[in-house]
Amino acid sequence: MKKGDYDLVIIGGGPAGLTAGLYAARARLNVIMIEKVVPGGQVLVTDLVENYPGFPEGIGGAELVQKITEQVKKFELNIENNEVVSVDLSEQVKKIQLGDRIITTDTIIIATGASPTKLNIPGEDNFYGKGVSFCATCDGPFFKDRILAAIGGGDTAVQESIFLTRFAKKVYIIHRRDQLRANKTLQERAFANEKIEFVWDSVVTSIEGSSDVEKISIKNIKTGETKQLGVDGCFVWVGIQPNTDFLKDTVALDELGFVIVDKNMQTSVSGVYAAGDARDTPLRQITTAVGDAAIAVSSAEHYISKI
Ligand code: NAP
């Protein structure tokens, strides 16, 4: 029977991809992990991970990635820095178009994660890198004693705003409702933080300034009232979107573009699995991503032994 170059290709190197790599390398599969930038994914820019078991004091996102990467390298996982442009899943041996060549494989695990959603308001693109940011650990230290706006009410907005208060003298959290989506522990911490002020029921309509961000315009969606807030930076944390564009018309995606899988993490195509934030899941955490990955590799192993 015709076989691909690899038993398994893992696309993406966040916690799901790395864990899939760990399991596959330990299972002695002929496996390669393709990562576009550097392994780690969104966790790399997370200041503190407090809900991953085994680290009672919490652990820095970058440090956790470093530990997982070390563990994976111990089992000699082949990691390649390359971009997956497209996939052809029409035959049993699947083709993956990389930036510079095509590779073939019997199974694939899609672990490409998700990226921050943009607000698409005036000023967001123009001031990107000049006060507009999606990453507190990257840009927070530039705002010592400054005033910042953080937009969103989920775990990311609240957790990262708390981190920003290490540097900034004030952080406005601007949320479109009057209740946060973030977990209760984070909420309690944010409410107790004197540097954080909430602006409820409000959306940011534009980000303005001359060379750098100087102010934002806000609209209260209940009263219709508009006002301007003087800020030196504006962090946007209004959710995530899946990195699944390269899959177009190959596997079933939900209406937001997340990959639909069954309980074995199998997509609509036999031998193709998804794990972590890129899949349709009720919970997006490191713990759930690594669990998905273990299931996906086990499913891939069954499939490989069957064919
Ligand atoms: P999220 O949970 O989807 O929250 C997005 C927030 O942005 C929501 O509060 C939402 O408001 C708001 N929003 C969405 N679109 C908006 C718009 N156009 N204008 C203004 N506000 C808008 O996204 P996330 O916080 O990035 O988290 C992503 C996933 O990662 C979640 O599953 C989260 O639990 C997980 N995560 C977990 C941790 C942790 O465990 N410590 C840390 C970070 C992330 P509404 O509430 O009104 O919808």
Side-chain angles (χ1 to χ4, degrees):
M1 177 169 296
K2 214 171 156 211
K3 269 203 53 66
D5 303 331
Y6 297 97
D7 295 329
L8 170 64
V9 174
I10 299 162
I11 309 177
L18 286 168
T19 305
L22 174 67
Y23 274 68
R26 286 190 78 233
R28 299 277 181 260
L29 293 183
N30 176 16
V31 55
I32 186 169
M33 188 182 94
I34 308 290
E35 162 57 45
K36 188 160 78 165
V37 195
V38 285
Q42 294 181 99
V43 183
L44 260 190
V45 296
T46 302
D47 160 49
L48 184 69
V49 177
E50 273 187 314
N51 51 3
Y52 193 76
F55 300 96
E57 307 305 323
I59 180 166
E63 195 188 344
L64 180 59
V65 168
Q66 189 201 329
K67 282 183 183 294
I68 303 174
T69 310
E70 262 171 42
Q71 192 175 357
V72 162
K73 285 194 172 153
K74 214 171 100 181
F75 294 98
E76 295 169 357
L77 175 69
N78 186 5
I79 301 178
E80 180 174 324
N81 208 223
N82 209 330
E83 181 168 9
V84 173
V85 179
S86 61
V87 293
D88 176 352
L89 311 178
S90 56
E91 290 173 34
Q92 188 176 299
V93 175
K94 289 114 185 131
K95 296 190 191 77
I96 298 182
Q97 174 70 60
L98 299 180
D100 55 352
R101 67 188 194 284
I102 292 174
I103 56 173
T104 61
T105 179
D106 295 333
T107 63
I108 297 175
I109 294 178
I110 301 157
T112 41
S115 301
T117 304
K118 282 173 37 171
L119 273 173
N120 291 320
I121 55 169
E124 188 181 29
D125 286 341
N126 292 355
F127 291 108
Y128 179 67
K130 296 172 186 164
V132 171
S133 171
F134 299 86
C135 175
T137 45
C138 319
D139 298 323
F142 296 123
F143 294 98
K144 197 163 178 331
D145 296 327
R146 302 296 185 89
I147 300 176
L148 297 174
I151 306 165
D155 284 332
T156 307
V158 177
Q159 178 166 336
E160 299 306 301
S161 294
I162 294 168
F163 174 72
L164 287 177
T165 62
R166 288 194 204 171
F167 314 100
K169 72 173 173 212
K170 186 177 190 79
V171 179
Y172 293 104
I173 297 185
I174 299 156
H175 183 36
R176 64 182 177 183
R177 292 186 292 135
D178 62 2
Q179 276 188 340
L180 295 171
R181 182 179 291 278
N183 74 65
K184 290 284 183 276
T185 305
L186 288 174
Q187 291 196 24
E188 285 163 15
R189 275 188 210 153
F191 292 143
N193 189 315
E194 286 175 355
K195 287 186 173 178
I196 293 179
E197 181 177 330
F198 285 89
V199 182
W200 300 111
D201 299 316
S202 298
V203 293
V204 176
T205 52
S206 67
I207 302 168
E208 294 145 53
S210 43
S211 58
D212 294 322
V213 171
E214 287 166 11
K215 60 188 176 198
I216 52 175
S217 294
I218 294 175
K219 181 177 181 184
N220 183 304
I221 54 174
K222 280 193 178 153
T223 64
E225 184 200 339
T226 58
K227 65 176 177 182
Q228 292 196 319
L229 271 183
V231 297
D232 302 297
C234 184
F235 287 76
V236 181
W237 290 305
V238 292
I240 52 172
Q241 49 195 28
N243 299 322
T244 54
D245 284 355
F246 70 99
L247 292 171
K248 242 174 205 79
D249 303 325
T250 56
V251 295
L253 305 176
D254 72 8
E255 69 284 1
L256 298 172
F258 291 97
V259 183
I260 297 171
V261 293
D262 65 14
K263 68 180 183 348
N264 299 315
M265 302 301 142
Q266 175 162 310
T267 67
S268 55
V269 176
S270 292
V272 181
Y273 309 87
D277 283 3
R279 83 164 180 99
D280 63 330
T281 170
L283 189 63
R284 293 197 167 82
Q285 305 276 306
I286 307 170
T287 47
T288 53
V290 303
D292 287 356
I295 295 171
V297 174
S298 161
S299 302
E301 281 189 86
H302 281 120
Y303 175 87
I304 291 162
S305 61
K306 221 168 55 192
I307 60 164

